[in-house]
Amino acid sequence: KFNGHESWIYQEQIQEVATQATQEAVLDAQFNDIEQKWKALEFTCVNYKPENLRNKEVYVLTEIDELQAALDDFLASLNNILGSRYLKMLRKRAEKLQKDVLIAQETLDDWLQVQKNWIYLENIFASQDIKTKLKEENALFENVDKQFKAIMKKTNSQKQVHRASGLLDKFREYKETLNRIQKALESYLEEKRMAFPRFYFLSNDELLEILAKSQDFDAIQRNLKKCFEAIYRLEQPEEGARSVNGMISPEGEKIPFVKGVSTKEEVELWLMKVQDQMIESLKKRMKQGKVESETQERNHWLLNQPAQVVATISNLIWTYDTEQAINSMTDDSTALSKHYNLLYESLNGLTALVRGTLTPLQHKVIVALITQDVHARDIVDALTDENVSSISEFSWQQQLRYYMDENDLIIVRQVNAKLNYGYEYLGATTRLVITNLTDRCWMTITGALNIKLGAAPAGPAGTGKTESTKDLAKALGMFCVVFNCSDQIEYKMMGRLFSGLVQQGAWACLDEFNRIDIEVLSVIAQQLLTVRQALIRRDQQFIFVNPDKPINLKEEVGVFITMNPGYAGRTELPDNLKVLFRPVSMMIPDYKLIAEIMLQAERV
């Protein structure tokens, strides 16, 4: 106790007590406001798939951003309070509330991860086929599914966030279980992809749609065009039959199989048989087409053969006739000129034919053949000007030449490269107008393949880098996957793509390859080096991504990259990646020549 007249003696102490009391009152007001808002904070729940009766009373969290922002604000305010030197009486309460909010944040993070995984897996395990094939994982999922739905139902009726503080351990357990299920699912999908490598070119969702509806023929047909170059639909003997006996292109061209394929097996097994029948049927039609070309009138032959047979056998005949003319040059100096005149007359016949009455399919066949034959005529014209008299001269060796070996299989040669024809069904596809630029690009690609390298066409946009690669794939009957690269590409994604390519023996054209991050490019360099070393060793199998699972290797595989140098956001390729690709510069195409040939083909 002290007399008021003596208060000046204790002025500092009085001011300190007054300031402490004032600041504590401010902090107390702030804390009470935060505590009140914390107790009032609620989850927002919505019905999950309300149109689905099975999920009529199933709820999921929504408006998460607002909730997370509120929790962040609480923590920021509590940190300010706990950082104050005037905090004494409130400290324990503030620390407890801070701990509760932090637990709520952790719980919400795990909750959202569980919800995301649950939504993904719920769609998958809704399929009876998947349930049957993944029985153990289905049992685990059903347990999590039951408990998650119960928690969400309770949350919808008691929405206060602070009530969820005891759920952290449960959600961590659910997250671990769902991750385990997803790993098992990935392993299951990998097995299916290894059984039918074209599945590597589908996303997980697309593949799961096929596997989940393996008895639904229409669902499988919808994804066929992503697995095959030109099989748009498969032909059935009759509606609802459990077998297929032919393939149909997007243009409506039909090619029957040598032998029907039953669809009663696992989907990946019968699709592999479809692939085998595609190849066998094309081999048979090629052999038959060559024989018939020697006995039938040309126009009749052209209009009654599949488009791919017309294009390929025409190249085969042109190669043979041109070599005969070259070899005759020593005895008859006009042999190539005579051959040129025959080609010129043949082209006139084709342009007259294209003006006649043709079906849309026949029109496509003839237009593609004219585009191809104009280039063949121009090659012979150049050979005549150079007075070529031996088939070993470079002017002839640099051309893409077609031969049929003793086993009636087509092989293609260019310079010192020898490539097997791929027999991928192409339908009545259009063909690229071939210019000197295209020829140079093709020579680089075939030469690179011959020494187990890739090729890297580089140049400004619109110079034909991707289209030239795709058209060479058509010329060689190869399945070519075009993959658009970006800075979002991860090395695991590329590893999966390369796994599919080497097992299928397919080509990939990686568009705008230098947009990929440098760290990912370094890993890709190692992946491609592993593939090349296996090709050089002529391995039948090799270890690639998974050290426990060797994969098959087909020597026809090819990886090509296109780049736009100097554009913004492009990466300089590391040296260990550059050496795996032969570069070729693509400049401005000959638009005048392209326009002339296109107009001639369409007879405009």
Side-chain angles (χ1 to χ4, degrees), residues 264-531:
K264 294 177 183 177
E265 298 178 284
E266 296 284 331
V267 63
E268 68 276 10
L269 299 179
W270 70 258
L271 279 176
M272 181 58 85
K273 290 180 180 177
V274 164
Q275 175 182 285
D276 294 341
Q277 281 303 306
M278 172 188 75
I279 293 169
E280 288 304 313
S281 301
L282 280 176
K283 285 179 180 177
K284 180 184 176 184
R285 292 303 292 263
M286 292 288 185
K287 181 181 176 182
Q288 184 181 327
K290 182 175 181 294
V291 172
E292 290 176 355
S293 71
E294 297 166 359
T295 58
Q296 293 180 0
E297 189 268 327
R298 179 169 166 77
N299 284 1
H300 179 270
W301 180 80
L302 291 174
L303 298 177
N304 290 280
Q305 295 289 338
Q308 192 168 350
V309 173
V310 169
T312 310
I313 299 302
S314 294
N315 274 326
L316 195 74
I317 295 168
W318 171 79
T319 301
Y320 176 80
D321 290 346
T322 305
E323 290 197 345
Q324 288 291 99
I326 292 171
N327 288 330
S328 301
M329 285 291 284
T330 50
D331 299 324
D332 180 4
S333 60
T334 63
L336 274 173
S337 296
K338 290 175 182 175
H339 181 41
Y340 174 83
N341 291 334
L342 288 173
L343 291 174
Y344 189 82
E345 288 173 15
S346 174
L347 264 174
N348 286 339
L350 289 176
T351 50
L353 186 61
V354 87
R355 283 184 296 174
T357 305
L358 299 174
T359 65
L361 178 60
Q362 289 172 334
H363 184 269
K364 283 179 177 287
V365 173
I366 303 303
V367 167
L369 184 61
I370 291 173
T371 306
Q372 175 180 294
D373 280 6
V374 167
H375 182 60
R377 179 202 65 190
D378 292 344
I379 290 172
V380 174
D381 190 27
L383 294 174
T384 306
D385 290 343
E386 294 174 27
N387 202 30
V388 173
S389 58
S390 169
I391 59 172
S392 61
E393 289 187 39
F394 184 73
S395 296
W396 174 243
Q397 288 291 311
Q398 70 176 331
Q399 310 303 333
L400 208 62
R401 312 181 314 280
Y402 289 70
Y403 304 90
M404 190 172 272
D405 66 12
E406 62 277 5
N407 298 316
D408 296 319
L409 298 177
I410 294 169
I411 56 172
V412 183
R413 294 179 181 272
Q414 189 170 33
V415 193
N416 58 351
K418 177 185 174 184
L419 305 167
N420 296 322
Y421 189 80
Y423 293 98
E424 177 75 20
Y425 179 52
L426 304 173
T429 183
T430 55
R431 292 301 301 272
L432 195 68
V433 173
I434 304 166
T435 64
N436 290 335
L437 185 67
T438 318
D439 278 331
R440 190 167 67 247
C441 178
W442 285 9
M443 209 185 312
T444 303
I445 292 174
T446 56
L449 286 171
N450 192 50
I451 55 174
K452 315 304 180 190
L453 289 174
T463 50
K465 302 181 295 295
T466 305
E467 290 304 319
S468 295
T469 306
K470 284 168 61 181
D471 202 67
L472 179 59
K474 290 178 183 178
L476 297 175
M478 295 299 298
F479 181 40
C480 183
V481 180
V482 177
F483 191 81
N484 295 310
C485 300
S486 72
D487 54 5
Q488 303 300 311
I489 298 294
E490 297 177 349
Y491 75 91
K492 287 183 180 178
M493 194 185 301
M494 298 307 294
R496 189 170 78 182
L497 175 66
F498 295 148
S499 293
L501 294 174
V502 297
Q503 292 178 76
Q504 180 59 40
W507 286 12
C509 181
L510 307 178
D511 237 355
E512 299 196 58
F513 186 66
N514 51 347
R515 290 180 64 187
I516 300 175
D517 286 341
I518 186 69
E519 295 84 0
V520 179
L521 288 176
S522 297
V523 180
I524 290 173
Q526 192 57 47
Q527 291 171 337
L528 289 174
L529 180 62
T530 304
V531 172

Side-chain angles (χ1 to χ4, degrees), residues 521-552:
L521 288 176
S522 297
V523 180
I524 290 173
Q526 192 57 47
Q527 291 171 337
L528 289 174
L529 180 62
T530 304
V531 172
R532 182 172 189 248
Q533 288 171 340
L535 285 168
I536 291 171
R537 293 193 302 266
R538 297 183 178 275
D539 290 346
Q540 297 296 310
Q541 288 191 324
F542 75 114
I543 297 295
F544 189 48
V545 175
N546 188 339
D548 300 323
K549 283 187 179 179
I551 60 174
N552 295 327

